[in-house]
Amino acid sequence: MSKSPEEEHPVKAFGWAARDQSGHLSPFNFSRRATGEEDVRFKVLYCGICHSDLHSIKNDWGFSMYPLVPGHEIVGEVTEVGSKVKKVNVGDKVGVGCLVGACHSCESCANDLENYCPKMILTYASIYHDGTITYGGYSDHMVANERYIIRFPDNMPLDGGAPLLCAGITVYSPLKYFGLDEPGKHIGIVGLGGLGHVAVKFAKAFGSKVTVISTSPSKKEEALKNLGADSFLVSRDQEQMQAAAGTLDGIIDTVSAVHPLLPLFGLLKSHGKLILVGAPEKPLELPAFSLIAGRKIVAGSGIGGMKETQEMIDFAAKHNITADIEVISTDYLNTAMERLAKNDVRYRFVIDVGNTLAATKP
C-alpha cells in the first residue's frame, strides 16, 4: 500500500496544493526526502507564479497529478548541504527553476541541455528517481540535487529575481542560441506579459533595437517609457504592420493563445527567425509560402539547461535585470490565480512564502 504524502519521506513539509482540476489551492501537509550527499536543502523565501502553474492546477494539458504543489520559480536560503556538495554553502541565496532531474547520460545532458533530456524531471507533478511525485515551491522548504541549484549573486533581489528562473531563461536561451544577442540586431517581442516584458529587458541589454508587437494599443506607453523598447506595433493595425515589413532580424513570440503567424512573417527580413516560446493549446496555422519567400525560419525553444540558467542569472545581475512583480501573501493565492487567468497582473505575481506561509497552517 502506498504511503500518504505526509509519510512518504522523513522530513515534514507544508505548502499549498490543488487537489483536483477545479484548481482550488489550500493548505497541504506533505514530506520531502532527507538531504542526500549531493543534495541542497533551502528555506523557501519567495516563489513566482508562472502561467504554467495555472494550466497545471486546472489540468489544461492533461498530465497533472494530484495533489499538486505548483511553483518552479523558487528562491531561498540554504539550510543544509550534503557531504559531496561543492557549489553552495549554508546561508547562501539560491534558486530552483523548472527542473530537478534528468538522466545525465544522454547527448542532451552531456551538452548541459538537461531541458531537452527525454527523461527530464519537472520540479512539480513529475515522478522523481525514487518513484515519488515532485512538489514545487508553494511550500516552506525545497530539496534538490546540486546540479539543479542556481546561485543568486548578492546584488540580485530574491523577489524580482525569482521569475527569471522560468520566464528569464525562456527568453534568454533563444536570443543566444539563434544569434539574436549580437549588438545592433533588430528584435521583435510579441506579447507584453510575464515573458515579454523580461524579453525586452534582455534584448536591450544585448544591445538590440527592440520593437514590441501587441494587440493592445494601451501597452504602448508601458513598452516605450517603462521597459525601454524602441518602437511599438499594434498587430491588428495593417498600416503599421505594412510600414514595418522586412525590418526585423528575429522575433520572440511569447503569446500562449492561438494567433495568426502570417503577419509576423511579414515583419522579418530574409533569413529572419520567428521563435515560439508561448504554447497555445491548439495548433497554429503555418503558411509555407511566406517562409519559402525569404528563407525564413520558425523554431521553438523551451527554458534552458542548468549551465545556461546560471549564466542568465549572472548576466541579469550584472545588468540589473529583474521581473516587474506584485508581491502577494500566501492566502491571496486563489485570487491571484483568478487575476492571472484574466491577465490582470504587471507582470508576475511572487508569493512572499517566507513571511506569510506559516500563518496559513490549519
Side-chain angles (χ1 to χ4, degrees), residues 279-293:
E281 287 161 44
K282 296 194 175 88
L284 302 175
E285 271 191 24
L286 194 65
F289 191 77
S290 53
L291 288 179
I292 293 166

Side-chain angles (χ1 to χ4, degrees), residues 178 265 268 271-275 291 294-299:
F178 292 100
F265 293 145
L268 289 170
H271 331 297
K273 298 159 186 167
L274 171 65
I275 296 108
L291 288 179
R295 194 162 66 174
K296 296 171 185 177
I297 291 172
V298 177

Side-chain angles (χ1 to χ4, degrees), residues 139-189:
S139 58
D140 55 3
H141 74 277
M142 186 74 194
V143 62
N145 180 285
E146 74 168 327
R147 181 170 177 151
Y148 298 91
I149 294 284
I150 300 298
R151 296 181 306 276
F152 263 58
D154 290 339
N155 68 324
M156 171 62 75
L158 296 184
D159 52 1
L164 299 181
L165 293 167
C166 172
I169 189 62
T170 296
V171 296
Y172 179 91
S173 185
L175 286 168
K176 296 282 286 187
Y177 181 80
F178 292 100
L180 303 176
D181 60 334
E182 296 164 17
K185 288 270 198 244
H186 191 171
I187 309 300
I189 308 293

Side-chain angles (χ1 to χ4, degrees), residues 20-23 53-61 64 66 341:
D20 54 50
Q21 58 193 46
S22 71
D53 298 350
L54 179 60
H55 285 301
S56 298
I57 59 176
K58 292 188 175 293
N59 198 24
D60 288 340
W61 293 327
S64 295
Y66 299 97

Side-chain angles (χ1 to χ4, degrees), residues 50 62 64 87 350:
C50 175
S64 295
K87 198 152 127 181
V350 173

